[in-house]
Every structure is written in structure tokens, then in C-alpha cells.
């Protein structure tokens, strides 16, 4: 955790990529405290906001792909064993969380890899049931990229906005304060995405 704290205090494209890769595996890295401050610095000219979104999304893709292929090749018993282990608990993981992500995937199908990327508690685990279900990797990567890109764009927009109204020493407190607004925006996006896929699926069945 000291390493993560050190990286959070030294954000550049490499650390953004690495931290978002970790966040998309099972390591508890709060993406709002990576992408939002990075975009805040981009607003002052220290970084490029589009590259912040790009590197964070590519990092998320790599991390999610690691989860996908681990789940694909080791299977559910090993995943559960790790989730219930001391190491799993150190990563704030348990079997209940994995099962929750599996239920979400079962209920929403392959679209869950897109919408699930926007939901706290599901976001970093949704790639596991995708791997267990042997979802087509191309579709998995496409939906993961779209979902992660949308999430990181929301966080980047918040960071850019906060730069105009908040001094840097108050940034983390403001990010926590705006967390509820972020959740509302995420919920709206998830509802829209689920509605889109439901209408598309209904139209296909009707044909």
C-alpha cells in the first residue's frame, strides 16, 4: 500500500496506466483518486486530459484482461479459494463479492461487461464471470473499453471542473464530497445502457 500511496502522489501517464491496471484486477485502488487528480493537473497544463483518459482506459483493459484469462483458465473453484484466502481478504475480496458479480453478469448478459464497469463493487470484478462464461474476447475487450472509457471520462470531467473552483490541497475532500453526484451520473448511464441493449435484444427477437 505504501507503493500505491507513493504512485498516487506522483501521477504521470505511466503511473496512471499502472494504477488503473491494478484497479481492474483485484487490488483496491480508488480510480476517482487517480483519474480525477490527473485531469485536475491536466487543466493546469501539466498533463493532457485526453491522454489521461487513454492511458487509464488502456490500463483498465489490461487489468480486466488479466482477470478474464485467469478466470478462463483456472476456473471457479480456484477463484473462490483465492477470494476466501488471506490474500483475497487483503485485496478486500471475498466469495460473496465474486458471486455478486456473477449474478450481475447472468442477469445482464454480455452487456454486463459494459454497464458493470460503471458500478462500484462490480467494476473491477465483472471480468471474472466473463472469463468463467468464456465470453468472446473481442466483445469482452470492446465492451470493457467502452465502459472504462465512459467511467474515466466522467472522472476526468470532474477533475477538470474542480480545477476552476478548488485549490489542490482541498481536492481529495471535494472528490469525496462529489462522490454522490458521480453515483447519480453512473446510475443514469447504466440505466440508459441497459435500456439500449434490452431494446436491441427485443428488436432482434421480433425479427
Amino acid at each position: 500500500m505504501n507503493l500505491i500511496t507513493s504512485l498516487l502522489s506522483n501521477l504521470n501517464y505511466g503511473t496512471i496506466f499502472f494504477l488503473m491496471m491494478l484497479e481492474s484486477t483485484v487490488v483496491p485502488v480508488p480510480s476517482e483518486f487517480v483519474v480525477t487528480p490527473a485531469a485536475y493537473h491536466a487543466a493546469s497544463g501539466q498533463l493532457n486530459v485526453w491522454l489521461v483518459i487513454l492511458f487509464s482506459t488502456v490500463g483498465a483493459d489490461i487489468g480486466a484482461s488479466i482477470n478474464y484469462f485467469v478466470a478462463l483458465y483456472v476456473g471457479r473453484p480456484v477463484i473462490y479459494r483465492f477470494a476466501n484466502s488471506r490474500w483475497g481478504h487483503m485485496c478486500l475480496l471475498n466469495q460473496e463479492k465474486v458471486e455478486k458479480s456473477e449474478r450481475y453478469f447472468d442477469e445482464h448478459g454480455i452487456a454486463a461487461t459494459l454497464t458493470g464497469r460503471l458500478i462500484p463493487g462490480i467494476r473491477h470484478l465483472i471480468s471474472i464471470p466473463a472469463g468463467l462464461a468464456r465470453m468472446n474476447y473481442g466483445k469482452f475487450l470492446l465492451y470493457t473499453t467502452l465502459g472504462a472509457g465512459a467511467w474515466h471520462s466522467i472522472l476526468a470531467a470532474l477533475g477538470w471542473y474542480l480545477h476552476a473552483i478548488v485549490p489542490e490541497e482541498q481536492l481529495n475532500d471535494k472528490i469525496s464530497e462529489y462522490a454522490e453526484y458521480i453515483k447519480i451520473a453512473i446510475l443514469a448511464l447504466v440505466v440508459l445502457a441497459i435500456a439500449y441493449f434490452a431494446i436491441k435484444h427485443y428488436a432482434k427477437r421480433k425479427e
Side-chain angles (χ1 to χ4, degrees):
M1 290 303 171
N2 288 336
L3 171 63
I4 292 175
T5 302
S6 174
L7 293 174
L8 286 171
S9 63
N10 183 34
L11 290 175
N12 54 53
Y13 300 125
T15 56
I16 291 166
F17 168 86
F18 182 67
L19 287 167
M20 289 301 90
M21 181 185 71
L22 291 182
E23 193 255 358
S24 283
T25 56
V26 294
V27 180
V29 177
S31 53
E32 58 270 30
F33 290 102
V34 177
V35 181
T36 307
Y40 183 96
H41 294 148
S44 65
Q46 298 177 46
L47 296 168
N48 181 294
V49 71
W50 299 110
L51 290 180
V52 167
I53 295 171
L54 175 64
F55 277 90
S56 58
T57 301
V58 173
D61 283 345
I62 299 298
S65 294
I66 291 171
N67 275 5
Y68 172 92
F69 285 112
V70 168
L72 179 69
Y73 289 112
V74 306
R76 187 173 284 102
V78 177
I79 295 292
Y80 283 0
R81 200 174 305 132
F82 173 77
N84 291 322
S85 71
R86 178 170 167 265
W87 289 102
H89 292 162
M90 286 177 62
C91 294
L92 306 181
L93 194 62
N94 56 49
Q95 185 172 327
E96 183 182 352
K97 289 183 179 179
V98 178
E99 289 175 340
K100 181 180 178 182
S101 69
E102 288 191 82
R103 286 194 299 272
Y104 186 85
F105 185 87
D106 291 340
E107 289 170 5
H108 300 288
I110 60 174
T113 54
L114 191 161
T115 58
R117 294 294 312 182
L118 301 170
I119 301 175
I122 295 287
R123 182 169 56 249
H124 65 301
L125 297 178
I126 196 62
S127 49
I128 293 175
L132 293 174
R134 298 184 175 273
M135 177 182 176
N136 176 274
Y137 180 69
K139 286 185 178 180
F140 166 79
L141 187 59
L142 172 63
Y143 289 165
T144 297
T145 301
L146 292 174
W151 169 240
H152 295 146
S153 296
I154 291 171
L155 296 181
L158 175 63
W160 192 276
Y161 166 72
L162 289 177
H163 181 266
I165 63 170
V166 177
E168 188 167 359
E169 60 270 18
Q170 297 176 18
L171 179 60
N172 286 345
D173 290 336
K174 275 294 179 182
I175 292 172
S176 299
E177 183 182 323
Y178 275 77
E180 287 304 314
Y181 297 107
I182 294 174
K183 288 178 184 177
I184 292 170
I186 288 169
L187 180 60
L189 281 173
V190 170
V191 169
L192 288 172
I194 291 174
Y196 167 78
F197 283 105
I199 292 169
K200 188 176 178 182
H201 178 70
Y202 177 76
K204 275 188 177 180
R205 287 189 62 182
K206 200 171 181 181
E207 289 175 3

